[in-house]
Amino acid sequence: MAEHVVIVGAGHAGGSVATYLRQYGYEGQVTLVGNESAPPYQRPPLSKGWLRSEITLDDLLLKPLATYEQAGIDLRLNSVVKEVETKEKRIILEDGETIDFDKLVFATGARPRRLTLPGSELRGVIYLRDVTDAALLRSCLDASKRIVVMGGGYVGLEVAATARQLGLEVMIVEREARLLSRSASPELAARLLRIHESNGVEFRFLGDVAEIVGSEGKVSGLRFNDGERIECDVILAGIGAQPNVALLEGTGIPEERGIRVDSEGRTSHPDVYAVGDVTLRPVANFEGIFTLESVPSAIEQAKRLSCLIAQRDFPPHELPWFWSQQYDFTLQIAGLPGLADEILVRDDVSKGTFLVFHLRNGALCAAECMNSPGEFLALKKAITHGARPDEVLLADLNTPIIKVLT
């Protein structure tokens, strides 16, 4: 009987594992189980083009639906996994059906962290993770004049930019003293703050919210602990994410802020693997373990795990990278900025570009690049090769980046 790989979670990571398995020549059974009604799709556009009604669900799909049937992938949509039994090597669906596996892949992703404030159950308090959330947010924006975004992370900033482009008044409420306190340099955060302020976004930092207030079951505003009240029609809660690890209960597989895996996706169980936002993983050439909530990270993990299962040679390790689009500014980040012990900035106002270089012990470990696609590619390659550039030239606007790095 052919070996059976079952993938729990039909997002970008899970969908990529299924299709890469076939691309790499795996001939066993492949079953992809997802709890949504749509085939695997891209999530990053949900905060941008989708909200502006510029793209449809078909535009978001990773592959046309027919691709899965043609590839011999059993795609189970609208299917909720109730339990995983690693000893019996089977999963149990909510409707009672069981599916046996030889190898199991967790690609369950993460879910938005929920507000616990009084009033957080009111209509108009929205989280953004999937296309259903995005459709609700879009309909609310169409009927609203003012939105409050709780949380100054990338998703919140992208939604704020989109809402301003749609003509809404926007306020961002952030508990910390600055934007992106856990994911970007203070220099980049300050630049993004100025960009949003120039586009009319209001900010409230160190905003300690006491409650969300409403009328007739719907949001009408929020109140801070100091008594100040802010009026709004809708609230987007973007206060972080939590890994979906509930199915690990009873499996014997430990979880600590996610499922810990090695660089090929192996867990502590010899026939169970994990990929995507649910994982804690090592990154080549960086010390520690990380949760990397990004499409490039999910794709890299999917490729390496698929090679492992299909018994093919592994591709080279990839440098982590991330991106964001806000207004007409494209932000690209290569490497892991939080590990630097020195930061240099190159700010070219005439070209509208902004570069932040992160060095550790003299070597480039990350770069934050705004509207600088060519420099981003050069820096990404340089970080991969452990470049140790001349720091004076690195910050010098008159010296081309490519010359500094060669």
Side-chain angles (χ1 to χ4, degrees):
M1 182 179 294
E3 184 181 70
H4 190 185
V5 174
V6 174
I7 305 162
V8 178
H12 211 130
S16 296
V17 171
T19 53
Y20 278 128
L21 280 171
R22 289 300 188 229
Q23 182 178 327
Y24 295 157
Y26 180 73
E27 296 181 351
Q29 292 179 266
V30 178
T31 298
L32 178 60
V33 183
N35 59 10
E36 294 187 65
S37 59
Y41 60 87
Q42 304 174 67
R43 298 182 192 271
L46 295 178
S47 59
K48 299 177 278 291
W50 172 273
L51 290 185
R52 295 191 295 268
S53 300
E54 296 171 353
I55 55 177
T56 67
L57 179 57
D58 285 343
D59 297 322
L60 295 177
L61 297 183
L62 300 184
K63 304 284 184 182
L65 180 60
T67 300
Y68 300 93
E69 183 178 357
Q70 293 166 0
I73 297 168
D74 184 8
L75 177 58
R76 304 286 195 94
L77 300 176
N78 298 304
S79 298
V80 177
V81 179
K82 179 182 178 182
E83 189 175 354
V84 172
E85 296 181 339
T86 51
K87 184 177 181 180
E88 293 80 5
K89 301 187 77 169
R90 66 183 182 183
I91 64 172
I92 303 173
L93 303 184
E94 199 170 55
D95 63 6
E97 180 185 0
T98 63
I99 302 175
D100 296 330
F101 64 82
D102 295 292
K103 297 184 185 300
L104 178 69
V105 180
F106 281 104
T108 47
R111 64 190 185 280
R113 192 177 298 278
R114 311 292 291 190
L115 293 170
T116 57
L117 296 167
S120 56
E121 76 289 345
L122 290 167
R123 294 193 317 277
V125 177
I126 299 174
Y127 303 85
L128 182 57
R129 185 65 183 179
D130 58 32
V131 71
T132 301
D133 297 332
L136 176 59
L137 178 57
R138 186 163 67 183
S139 67
C140 287
L141 293 182
D142 288 343
S144 300
K145 294 182 178 179
R146 182 174 174 83
I147 179 175
V148 167
V149 176
M150 296 185 65
Y154 283 115
V155 171
L157 291 172
E158 290 171 355
V159 171
T162 302
R164 285 298 297 139
Q165 291 170 321
L166 293 173
L168 278 76
E169 298 176 12
V170 179
M171 170 174 276
I172 294 179
V173 176
E174 170 56 56
R175 291 186 63 179
E176 303 296 331
R178 69 170 179 92
L179 299 174
L180 302 167
S181 59
R182 293 179 296 277
S183 55
S185 66
E187 291 80 2
L188 177 62
R191 171 52 63 93
L192 288 173
L193 174 63
R194 293 197 295 273
I195 289 171
H196 280 273
E197 286 180 329
S198 70
N199 280 277
V201 177
E202 301 174 72
F203 288 87
R204 170 74 181 257
F205 291 101
L206 301 174
D208 198 1
V209 179
E211 65 173 332
I212 297 171
V213 295
S215 174
E216 298 181 351
K218 186 181 183 307
V219 165
S220 62
L222 52 81
R223 184 176 62 79
F224 295 98
N225 279 330
D226 62 8
E228 181 185 1
R229 175 167 167 158
I230 301 295
E231 305 298 322
C232 64
D233 307 300
V234 60
I235 292 174
L236 174 75
I239 57 172
Q242 295 175 295
N244 290 320
V245 294
L247 289 174
L248 266 66
E249 185 175 352
T251 65
I253 300 171
E255 62 90 7
E256 43 170 340
R257 299 179 289 118
I259 305 174
R260 187 163 183 170
V261 297
D262 68 8
S263 59
E264 278 68 59
R266 301 178 184 91
T267 71
S268 60
H269 189 289
D271 295 311
V272 179
Y273 310 86
V275 293
D277 292 357
V278 74
T279 62
L280 274 170
R281 70 179 187 94
V283 176
N285 302 317
F286 292 92
E287 293 183 7
I289 54 172
F290 306 89
T291 295
L292 303 180
E293 296 180 21
S294 74
V295 169
S297 173
I299 292 174
E300 182 197 11
Q301 286 186 291
K303 287 179 178 178
R304 296 188 71 83
L305 174 56
S306 298
C307 285
L308 175 67
I309 294 174
Q311 299 182 5
R312 283 179 51 123
D313 292 339
F314 296 116
H317 287 286
E318 298 177 17
L319 183 74
W321 68 277
F322 316 83
W323 70 278
S324 177
Q325 181 76 42
Q326 299 168 37
Y327 309 106
D328 56 353
F329 293 90
T330 299
L331 174 65
Q332 295 169 295
I333 301 173
L336 300 176
L339 303 180
D341 55 30
E342 184 178 5
I343 289 177
L344 300 172
V345 175
R346 181 183 286 215
D347 186 1
D348 193 334
V349 177
S350 65
K351 294 181 180 178
T353 62
F354 185 73
L355 300 170
V356 182
F357 311 105
H358 297 253
L359 298 100
R360 183 176 179 84
N361 298 324
L364 276 172
C365 65
E368 297 166 310
C369 308
M370 185 178 292
N371 288 353
S372 305
E375 287 84 354
F376 167 75
L377 291 175
L379 287 161
K380 187 167 178 273
K381 183 177 179 180
I383 295 166
T384 301
H385 291 93
R388 307 177 71 86
D390 183 296
E391 296 178 15
V392 174
L393 294 178
L394 194 61
D396 180 14
L397 284 176
N398 296 317
T399 305
I401 288 293
I402 193 67
K403 184 176 181 180
V404 180
L405 300 177
T406 55

